[in-house]
Amino acid sequence: MRVEKEKEQKRRMDGTLLILVLLLVVCGLIFLYSTSAYNGRVKFHDPAYYFKKQLFATSLGMMGMYLVSCMDYHIITRMAPFLYVVSMGLSLAVLLFGDEYNGSKRWLSIGPLSFQPSEFAKVAVILLLTYVITNSKKRQDSLLHMAGTMALLLPIVGLVGTNNLSTAIIILGIGVILIFVSNPKYLPFVGIGGVGVLFIGVFLSMASYRLERIAIWRNPEKYEKGFQTIQGLYAIGSGGIFGKGLGSSLQKLGFVPEAQNDMIFSIICEETGLIGACLLILIFALLIWRLMVIATHARDLCGALIAAGIMGHMAIQVILNIAVVTNTIPNTGITLPFVSYGGTSVLFLMGEMGLALSVSRTRSP
């Protein structure tokens, strides 16, 4: 009888998380089509160009999510060192052979296909830290151990941060969250926070364009590159409470450059208003909450760390994107998960959701 109960428990899947993911995917595709139709028509003579590419990537991601959710997450975690080395190799290849778009080298091309290795790096980091923490025989609350664990991230942070500071910040944030989850003490994280601020400050000072972004953030009207920020704020303000209606945005007609990418939230605010923006934020909040529930009820530390890492990734990326669009922080060029255009991002996000579902299938009673 006990064996049957255990088998039944292993077959469980978090239906709430699955529904929230599907809801975000559907909303994302709708908003993407509405936002990108003008650019698709102008550049490719096809208003559904971006939508079709995103739909294809999402379909692959759905299949990947299902396959990963059926796997034992312990097996995937054992592959973490190999995946981390692969992610470093791909990130190095970007620096040497990467394609440059809008002044940043972030893509690798293989024939007609292109992808962003930085998206893979986020997943690799979650798995690597989970592997290291669960297999460590040292005290988790040791400051030396925490510093050593964070030091493992420096190679990938250095490679990714050269052209993509926002992803480097996300990776560091994931590291801090996973160490925090595995550590019973709070005080050491004050020091870690100080070191993190210092590290980000050094990165900012290494490139003049990053310092320029801070100046643009403080006073976007003074700089030509502040045009995107200003137009995004116009879009948010003109949406009002209820918005202009889906598909009725004016700012997406070339005023907000590449509106389907990082600035898509501003168009969502313009078309659906404060109500629509708040509902979308609510769905993200529920998704993050559900990942926290999965982490809390995970059967072991390995599952808890995987779910917590995915939760941290989602929370940091959503907060950063919305903060950038509303000009709360300097522009970092980061996408809104499941909503912004980007096939690589959707593929790996769906893979992460598959990992979370795999953890939920074997959660404790």
Side-chain angles (χ1 to χ4, degrees):
M1 188 74 174
R2 185 177 178 181
V3 175
E4 289 180 1
K5 284 184 178 180
E6 288 182 358
K7 287 183 178 179
E8 183 180 350
Q9 189 177 1
K10 286 183 179 180
R11 288 196 297 267
R12 291 177 185 173
M13 183 181 287
D14 197 301
T16 305
L17 177 66
L18 184 60
I19 291 171
L20 289 169
V21 171
L22 293 176
L23 186 59
L24 271 175
V25 166
V26 172
C27 289
L29 287 171
I30 292 171
F31 289 136
L32 177 69
Y33 178 73
S34 174
T35 303
S36 65
Y38 173 80
N39 282 335
R41 187 183 299 111
V42 170
K43 293 183 178 180
F44 304 101
H45 308 289
D46 181 5
Y49 174 82
Y50 293 102
F51 172 80
K52 288 187 285 190
K53 292 190 73 173
Q54 189 82 342
L55 181 62
F56 176 72
T58 302
S59 301
L60 290 179
M62 293 288 287
M63 290 187 285
M65 181 179 72
Y66 173 75
L67 291 174
V68 172
S69 69
C70 294
M71 297 173 66
D72 185 349
Y73 60 88
H74 296 96
I75 296 174
I76 301 174
T77 306
R78 290 189 203 109
M79 299 168 60
F82 170 74
L83 296 175
Y84 183 67
V85 171
V86 171
S87 72
M88 284 200 296
L90 291 173
S91 299
L92 179 61
V94 169
L95 295 180
L96 299 176
F97 318 110
D99 299 326
E100 187 172 327
Y101 296 101
N102 297 325
S104 297
K105 270 190 179 182
R106 299 183 182 181
W107 288 264
L108 272 181
S109 294
I110 301 176
L113 301 176
S114 63
F115 68 101
Q116 281 186 283
S118 59
E119 298 296 334
F120 175 52
K122 298 171 189 174
V123 184
V125 163
I126 293 172
L127 293 174
L128 177 75
L129 291 183
T130 299
Y131 175 85
V132 170
I133 292 171
T134 53
N135 288 281
S136 175
K137 295 180 181 178
K138 298 180 181 179
R139 288 178 54 193
Q140 300 294 336
D141 58 351
S142 166
L143 189 60
L144 187 62
H145 177 263
M146 288 190 290
T149 305
M150 286 298 292
L152 291 172
L153 304 184
L154 295 183
I156 193 68
V157 167
L159 289 170
V160 172
T162 304
N163 288 307
N164 195 342
L165 180 62
S166 56
T167 299
I169 292 172
I170 291 174
I171 290 173
L172 287 173
I174 290 171
V176 171
I177 287 170
L178 288 180
I179 293 174
F180 180 81
V181 169
S182 64
N183 193 304
K185 295 183 178 180
Y186 297 92
L187 189 58
F189 291 92
V190 177
I192 290 177
V195 173
V197 171
L198 179 64
F199 190 81
I200 292 170
V202 171
F203 254 92
L204 287 173
S205 62
M206 287 174 63
S208 59
Y209 76 90
R210 291 174 185 148
L211 294 175
E212 184 186 28
R213 284 185 177 182
I214 295 178
I216 294 170
W217 165 62
R218 294 180 62 186
N219 197 349
E221 294 89 353
K222 274 190 174 183
Y223 298 87
E224 185 180 348
K225 291 183 179 179
F227 178 81
Q228 184 185 47
T229 299
I230 294 171
Q231 295 301 320
L233 292 175
Y234 285 161
I236 294 171
S238 63
I241 296 177
F242 300 105
K244 295 180 176 179
L246 197 63
S248 301
S249 166
L250 294 178
Q251 295 300 113
K252 70 183 179 184
L253 305 180
F255 294 101
V256 177
E258 301 292 334
Q260 70 276 0
N261 294 329
D262 309 338
M263 299 294 290
I264 194 170
F265 185 73
S266 65
I267 306 302
I268 293 172
C269 291
E270 184 181 7
E271 294 190 343
T272 64
L274 179 65
I275 300 296
C278 288
L279 287 175
L280 182 62
I281 293 172
L282 176 62
I283 297 173
F284 276 119
L286 290 173
L287 180 69
I288 293 166
W289 162 76
R290 201 61 208 170
L291 289 167
M292 183 184 68
V293 170
I294 292 173
T296 304
H297 292 88
R299 182 176 291 275
D300 54 17
L301 179 61
C302 179
L305 290 173
I306 288 175
I310 296 169
M311 178 196 72
H313 173 204
M314 287 295 302
I316 294 169
Q317 190 157 334
V318 169
I319 291 170
L320 285 180
N321 177 268
I322 294 176
V324 166
V325 173
T326 55
N327 202 36
T328 307
I329 62 173
N331 197 319
T332 57
I334 197 163
T335 58
L336 187 63
F338 298 109
V339 181
S340 295
Y341 174 70
T344 309
S345 176
V346 168
L347 278 172
F348 285 106
L349 282 170
M350 298 301 278
E352 288 184 27
M353 295 304 113
L355 273 172
L357 289 171
S358 175
V359 173
S360 74
R361 290 170 71 95
T362 54
R363 61 185 177 181
S364 60

